[in-house]
Amino acid sequence: MTTLSAYSALAERFTRLYRYQHLHAIASWDQATMMPAKGNEARAAALAELQVLIHRTLTEPGLAGQIAAAEEENLGEMERANLREIRRSWEQANLLPESLVEAKALAGSRCEHAWRTQRPANDWDGFLANFREVVRLSREEARRLAEASGLSPYDALMDKYEPGMTSAAIESVFADVKSWLPGLIRQVRERQAGEEVITPVGPFAVERQRALGLDVMKLLGFDFDGGRLDVSVHPFCGGVAEDVRITTRYREDDFVQSLMGIVHETGHARYEQGLPRDWLSQPVGLARSMGIHESQSLSFEMQLGRSPAFLELIAPLVRRHLGEQDAFSSANLARLYTRVQPGFIRVDADELTYPAHIILRFEIERALIEGEIEAADIPALWDEKMQAYLGVDTRGNFRDGCLQDIHWTDGSFGYFPSYTLGAMYAAQYFAALRRQQPDLDAQIAAGNLVPVFGWLERNIWSQGSRWQTNELVTRATGEALNPAYFRAHLEQRYLG
């Protein structure tokens, strides 16, 4: 009987972990889309049990020696990168006790499930009763991670989603954005005040919107043999690379947001479907970070989806499915999808005001995890910052204020900065792509999306977690993250 090398034994273990995570992902998707309400307590317990199994598999005592032995073996470049990611997963898991992992999973499931009815009921007090426990457990997780890493509690949580990023770096980037964004918003709104925009006239039947969305997904290269589209309270991309599940939500009086939501989630899905197939069961074959993941969804939604060239391409599809209206001309669709109007809802925000929504959430969740505020303080802070950053009054409107997002319900603190990092990465990608392909917009308008997909596949999707984030972005674009591309993109698109 041949004895496995230390590295091979680790690879076998992580293949097993990947299969557990596969089941967790599909059961979580079902919980959000198909599961009847009375199934939640049992599903929460089952998911928590699966989380415990994953945690035990990652924390068996013999792994320390196995990882150390593997580091002395003769490994190839991808194997060495995989071992780096294996060590990171193992180190993080060993900092958290099993009881905390289980308790946080249960608390998150209960809070998220109740939130689905509490949000439409504008029931902040009811939400708070569950949310306080999520915050308590998240702070405990942050404390344990911080003590071992030397990071602040909030940075320790953010590191789960964006390895190597710190709140100091985020603060610096966001401070710069805050210095020029309000003025740019004012300029653009003044300029757009004289534009005529035709409002589409509904109702738009859900089945017609769905058919339109499916056709746009096909255009964007989504593999329907390896994924599907469904409906959920909050749009998301779930499942696994071999079986990607994306969702949207529909309103019969407004197709604009659901369609672009589908484009956004398809960006996530194409990343998953494009990850290196030979390495999918290993950490090195997975998405690099959530900032990089969001860069894919925002490459699709903001860089491609809201571009005049792409809207010219899909205008005939819109008319085919939703009927002939002057509002569905390509020029009017471009005005609709670049209209700047501060509003309540993050996921419905235009490209220009969106960063303000993220900055607000970053500032609140960091203060919450660091113990500077308590959960009950969130509504007042939310109202204050929405008024200051966007001139929007959210007092008493919890549904469209601090209850609107799903992220905090399960303790996903530290995730929100990934959205604006993703927007910045996406702007940098497309600047690099346009240098290589100066006629890119003409190609897109003509229906040739191969230059976009090919560039992303070569530089991002196929790389998985082979490189750490700065190295990945530098190899793709010639430099590490440079927020100047984001500002230049916005000024070019909105001021021309």
Side-chain angles (χ1 to χ4, degrees):
M1 183 175 176
T2 304
T3 304
L4 287 175
S5 69
Y7 174 83
S8 297
L10 287 167
E12 279 196 359
R13 178 178 294 271
F14 274 79
T15 297
R16 193 159 72 250
L17 274 167
Y18 180 73
R19 290 166 183 160
Y20 296 158
Q21 289 158 347
H22 181 148
L23 292 174
H24 190 280
I26 298 301
S28 297
W29 165 85
D30 177 79
Q31 185 182 36
T33 56
M34 302 290 183
M35 186 193 74
K38 288 183 179 178
N40 191 63
E41 280 299 311
R43 181 63 55 83
L47 287 171
E49 189 71 36
L50 198 46
Q51 286 281 70
V52 167
L53 178 60
I54 290 168
H55 187 262
R56 284 179 185 166
T57 306
L58 267 172
T59 56
E60 284 187 13
L63 280 175
Q66 222 165 38
I67 291 171
E71 288 172 339
E72 300 301 317
E73 292 175 350
N74 184 24
L75 302 177
E77 181 193 44
M78 281 294 277
E79 291 167 326
R80 187 68 59 189
N82 191 41
L83 187 56
R84 179 195 69 220
E85 297 301 308
I86 284 173
R87 174 174 276 284
R88 174 180 162 78
S89 298
W90 169 76
E91 286 176 345
Q92 287 201 323
N94 275 276
L95 298 176
L96 303 177
E98 184 180 296
S99 58
L100 177 59
V101 171
E102 182 176 28
K104 188 165 181 265
L106 285 168
S109 284
R110 289 184 186 125
C111 188
E112 186 275 330
H113 189 71
W115 164 82
R116 297 184 207 176
T117 53
Q118 289 161 348
R119 184 193 171 198
N122 205 41
D123 182 9
W124 168 256
D125 289 338
F127 175 77
L128 190 58
N130 289 320
F131 184 54
R132 281 194 175 103
E133 180 66 0
V134 173
V135 172
R136 184 185 73 80
L137 293 166
S138 297
R139 283 173 171 172
E140 175 64 12
E141 178 186 16
R143 181 187 67 78
R144 289 174 177 272
L145 295 174
E147 284 177 355
S149 65
L151 298 171
S152 72
Y154 180 76
D155 284 7
L157 292 184
M158 187 165 61
D159 191 67
K160 296 194 306 178
Y161 305 108
E162 200 60 27
M165 187 58 68
T166 64
S167 54
I170 294 288
E171 229 178 349
S172 174
V173 169
F174 285 177
D176 177 61
V177 172
K178 286 165 75 173
S179 74
W180 54 260
L181 185 63
L184 183 57
I185 291 171
R186 278 194 302 273
Q187 271 185 282
V188 174
R189 294 195 71 201
E190 287 167 7
R191 180 171 178 163
Q192 291 184 346
E195 289 182 354
E196 181 184 352
V197 182
I198 305 168
T199 302
V201 178
F204 306 105
V206 167
E207 59 270 21
R208 289 181 176 272
Q209 291 190 60
R210 175 177 166 79
L212 170 61
L214 291 171
D215 272 358
V216 171
M217 288 170 70
K218 288 173 192 169
L219 185 66
L220 292 171
F222 183 87
D223 178 4
F224 284 94
D225 289 330
R228 54 182 287 148
L229 170 69
D230 291 281
V231 175
S232 65
V233 173
H234 196 288
F236 70 93
C237 175
V240 291
E242 305 93 330
D243 183 4
V244 183
R245 310 296 178 91
I246 73 170
T247 71
T248 191
R249 57 189 177 198
Y250 300 102
R251 283 175 44 186
E252 293 204 336
D253 64 336
D254 179 14
F255 79 93
V256 172
Q257 298 303 335
S258 68
L259 177 59
M260 207 48 67
I262 288 172
V263 173
H264 178 100
E265 301 303 340
T266 301
H268 282 304
R270 286 298 314 272
Y271 185 20
E272 290 290 324
Q273 292 180 336
L275 288 168
R277 279 314 210 232
D278 291 344
W279 291 92
L280 278 184
S281 66
Q282 298 300 308
V284 76
L286 304 181
R288 173 61 210 153
S289 74
M290 292 319 302
I292 297 299
H293 226 309
E294 293 300 341
S295 77
Q296 301 313 290
S297 60
L298 294 168
S299 287
F300 274 53
E301 179 193 356
M302 299 301 186
Q303 294 295 321
L304 178 62
R306 293 176 190 258
S307 70
F310 184 76
L311 292 165
E312 181 181 342
L313 176 62
I314 68 167
L317 289 176
V318 175
R319 292 192 291 271
R320 183 191 310 163
H321 288 287
L322 303 183
E324 292 288 339
Q325 290 190 30
D326 291 343
F328 298 155
S329 71
S330 58
N332 194 68
L333 286 173
R335 286 191 288 270
L336 278 171
Y337 277 112
T338 54
R339 198 72 180 163
V340 175
Q341 176 63 55
F344 295 111
I345 306 299
R346 174 187 62 85
V347 296
D348 294 344
D350 58 81
E351 186 177 21
L352 214 51
T353 61
Y354 193 97
H357 288 271
I358 299 305
I359 292 169
L360 172 152
R361 286 157 173 78
F362 162 71
E363 292 173 347
I364 291 175
E365 70 176 13
R366 184 182 59 172
L368 182 66
I369 293 301
E370 297 290 348
E372 297 164 13
I373 64 169
E374 295 303 325
D377 301 324
I378 289 175
L381 265 176
W382 189 283
D383 296 342
E384 175 191 318
K385 289 177 183 290
M386 282 294 284
Q387 188 64 52
Y389 297 167
L390 291 169
V392 173
D393 185 358
T394 55
R395 288 174 298 177
N397 184 359
F398 307 113
R399 177 184 61 248
D400 296 329
C402 54
L403 282 181
Q404 67 181 267
D405 295 301
I406 197 170
H407 305 64
W408 289 346
T409 66
D410 70 352
S412 295
F413 298 106
Y415 188 109
F416 277 119
S418 301
Y419 289 108
T420 293
L421 288 173
M424 291 176 172
Y425 287 132
Q428 191 163 326
Y429 301 156
F430 272 70
L433 178 50
R434 283 193 168 89
R435 288 195 296 270
Q436 295 175 14
Q437 185 98 26
D439 66 341
L440 180 65
D441 292 305
Q443 293 285 340
I444 292 168
N448 180 17
L449 302 181
V450 170
V452 174
F453 302 152
W455 192 95
L456 292 172
E457 194 280 329
R458 286 190 306 276
N459 291 287
I460 308 297
W461 303 346
S462 65
Q463 302 304 306
S465 284
R466 179 182 183 182
W467 313 109
Q468 298 192 62
T469 307
N470 279 347
E471 178 75 5
L472 175 71
V473 175
T474 300
R475 284 173 171 270
T477 68
E479 58 185 305
L481 176 64
N482 182 349
Y485 290 106
F486 180 57
R487 181 177 183 178
H489 157 70
L490 294 176
E491 290 175 343
Q492 173 61 32
R493 175 170 286 178
Y494 290 90
L495 295 179

